[in-house]
């Protein structure tokens, strides 16, 4: 176990988990397929004897920051949207340069009450652009379960924490999108406290380590000062001038605020 997440929830009714867990079995075919993928192992491994920076099958994702001890995203990495970190089968060392998300969140995060906006997350130390903040971890859901929970949240006027990560498939199934649904509303980690902003300072990137089911890695979109609130765009930073159904008021106060929270249909 690499993850050294020592955070906890202030609400005793929430269950703190340090990485994604599979939803409860609903005995559907979709769940069985999701379970098989969730429990599968990525077998592509590196045989690096150095630090996995150049010719590594997975490497080249991170570079050391010149003014801090952080590893930051390599702007010239192989893929801008998907990261593959070295996994448990790789022959490189545990401290190679291509292992970052696997170690868990930053140590300087703090949950803060923002009044009408609810709880949020700040950093107590500066974070350089491209540095890893934390994972957005929770229950991995089938699409049917995500739609069911989303409808129930709307019906009861509850905050919807479900994130749908959309990725283009690379398995030959053209015209289809690979969707991953993560819900930290009942079980989740520190990442659930990041609020939405129409002008966010963080972004989500798909990260795969051992399982084909991706982790939702939250990275600094720009340099962030100590004391700043950490935010990302709930709609994947896709602009929209159309007010979504059951729209909730946005309280981000950004200059480009759309006045309502994005709530895209799956």
């Amino acid at each position: 176990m690499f993850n050294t997440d020592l955070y906890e929830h202030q609400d005793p009714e929430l269950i703190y988990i340090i990485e994604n867990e599979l939803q409860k079995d609903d005995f559907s075919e979709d769940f069985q397929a999701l379970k098989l993928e969730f429990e599968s192992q990525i077998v592509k491994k590196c045989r690096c004897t150095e630090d996995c920076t150049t010719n590594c099958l997975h490497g080249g994702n991170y570079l050391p920051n010149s003014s801090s001890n952080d590893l930051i995203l390599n702007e010239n990495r192989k893929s801008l949207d998907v990261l593959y970190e070295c996994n448990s089968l790789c022959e490189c060392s545990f401290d190679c340069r291509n292992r970052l998300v696997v170690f868990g969140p930053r140590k300087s995060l703090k949950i803060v009450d923002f009044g009408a906006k609810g709880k949020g997350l700040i950093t107590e130390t500066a974070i350089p652009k491209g540095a890893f903040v934390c994972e957005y971890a929770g229950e991995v859901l089938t699409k049917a379960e995500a739609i069911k929970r989303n409808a129930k949240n709307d019906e009861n006027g509850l905050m919807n924490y479900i994130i749908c990560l959309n990725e283009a498939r690379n398995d030959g199934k053209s015209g289809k999108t690979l969707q991953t649904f993560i819900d930290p509303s009942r079980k989740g980690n520190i990442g659930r406290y990041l609020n939405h902003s129409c002008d966010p300072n963080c972004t989500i990137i798909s990260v795969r380590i051992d399982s084909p089911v991706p982790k939702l890695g939250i990275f600094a979109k720009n340099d962030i000062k100590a004391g700043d609130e950490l935010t990302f765009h709930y709609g994947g930073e896709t602009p929209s001038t159309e007010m979504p159904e059951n729209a909730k008021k946005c309280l981000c106060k950004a200059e480009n605020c759309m006045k309502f929270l994005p709530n895209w249909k799956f």
Side-chain angles (χ1 to χ4, degrees):
M1 176 66 69
F2 299 122
N3 198 313
T4 56
D5 187 343
L6 299 177
Y7 291 108
E8 59 186 18
H9 294 306
Q10 297 175 352
D11 186 344
E13 294 185 0
L14 299 174
I15 298 174
Y16 198 96
I17 57 177
I18 63 173
E19 57 185 353
N20 291 333
E21 292 186 3
L22 197 58
Q23 69 164 78
K24 184 178 179 182
D25 192 344
D26 62 10
F27 304 104
S28 67
E29 290 185 8
D30 286 345
F31 174 81
Q32 299 306 319
L34 178 61
K35 181 180 180 182
L36 179 63
E37 185 175 25
F38 185 80
E39 295 177 348
S40 296
Q41 167 72 49
I42 293 177
V43 296
K44 187 176 181 180
K45 64 179 181 179
C46 80
R47 293 183 170 83
C48 299
T49 56
E50 298 182 357
D51 59 2
C52 298
T53 56
T54 53
N55 297 320
C56 178
L57 287 173
H58 309 299
N61 294 315
Y62 310 118
L63 295 173
N65 181 264
S66 58
S67 58
S68 71
N69 293 323
D70 289 278
L71 287 176
I72 60 173
L73 291 170
N74 178 4
E75 294 183 354
N76 297 316
R77 59 189 182 276
K78 297 175 183 177
S79 172
L80 298 180
D81 302 318
V82 182
L83 302 179
Y84 282 86
E85 289 196 355
C86 290
N87 59 49
S88 59
L89 299 181
C90 289
E91 297 178 16
C92 57
S93 66
F94 290 156
D95 60 352
C96 84
R97 201 176 284 178
N98 196 44
R99 299 180 194 262
L100 179 59
V101 174
V102 69
F103 294 123
R106 302 181 72 83
K107 303 296 188 288
S108 59
L109 308 179
K110 183 180 180 180
I111 303 169
V112 176
D113 193 334
F114 282 96
K117 193 165 64 172
K119 291 183 175 63
L121 199 65
I122 68 167
T123 174
E124 296 186 300
T125 59
I127 302 176
K129 176 182 177 181
F132 177 60
V133 177
C134 64
E135 181 182 351
Y136 192 85
E139 291 180 273
V140 182
L141 310 179
T142 62
K143 183 172 184 176
E145 179 66 17
I147 292 173
K148 176 182 174 182
R149 292 190 185 187
N150 192 45
K152 189 173 182 180
N153 289 334
D154 286 342
E155 179 183 341
N156 295 319
L158 300 175
M159 179 66 180
N160 181 33
Y161 289 89
I162 300 172
I163 291 291
C164 174
L165 175 69
N166 292 300
E167 299 176 280
R169 304 192 75 111
N170 61 0
D171 55 5
K173 297 181 180 179
S174 60
K176 292 189 176 182
T177 300
L178 179 63
Q179 294 185 311
T180 303
F181 299 91
I182 305 294
D183 181 13
S185 59
R186 306 173 186 177
K187 299 178 179 180
N189 73 334
I190 194 76
R192 78 187 298 278
Y193 296 101
L194 272 84
N195 283 317
H196 164 82
S197 176
C198 296
D199 185 21
N201 54 17
C202 296
T203 190
I204 287 182
I205 297 179
S206 169
V207 182
R208 286 176 171 82
I209 304 177
D210 282 293
S211 171
V213 175
K215 295 178 179 292
L216 275 58
I218 299 175
F219 291 82
K221 189 178 177 183
N222 46 257
D223 291 333
I224 303 173
K225 300 188 301 295
D228 281 358
E229 182 183 7
L230 302 170
T231 58
F232 68 94
H233 195 292
Y234 287 0
E237 301 184 44
T238 302
S240 174
T241 56
E242 182 179 350
M243 183 175 293
E245 185 179 352
N246 301 318
K248 293 181 175 63
K249 184 179 180 180
C250 181
L251 302 174
C252 76
K253 298 182 180 180
E255 290 185 7
N256 63 336
C257 181
M258 297 302 299
K259 310 304 180 186
F260 54 84
L261 292 176
N263 186 21
W264 313 120
K265 294 182 179 178
F266 303 143

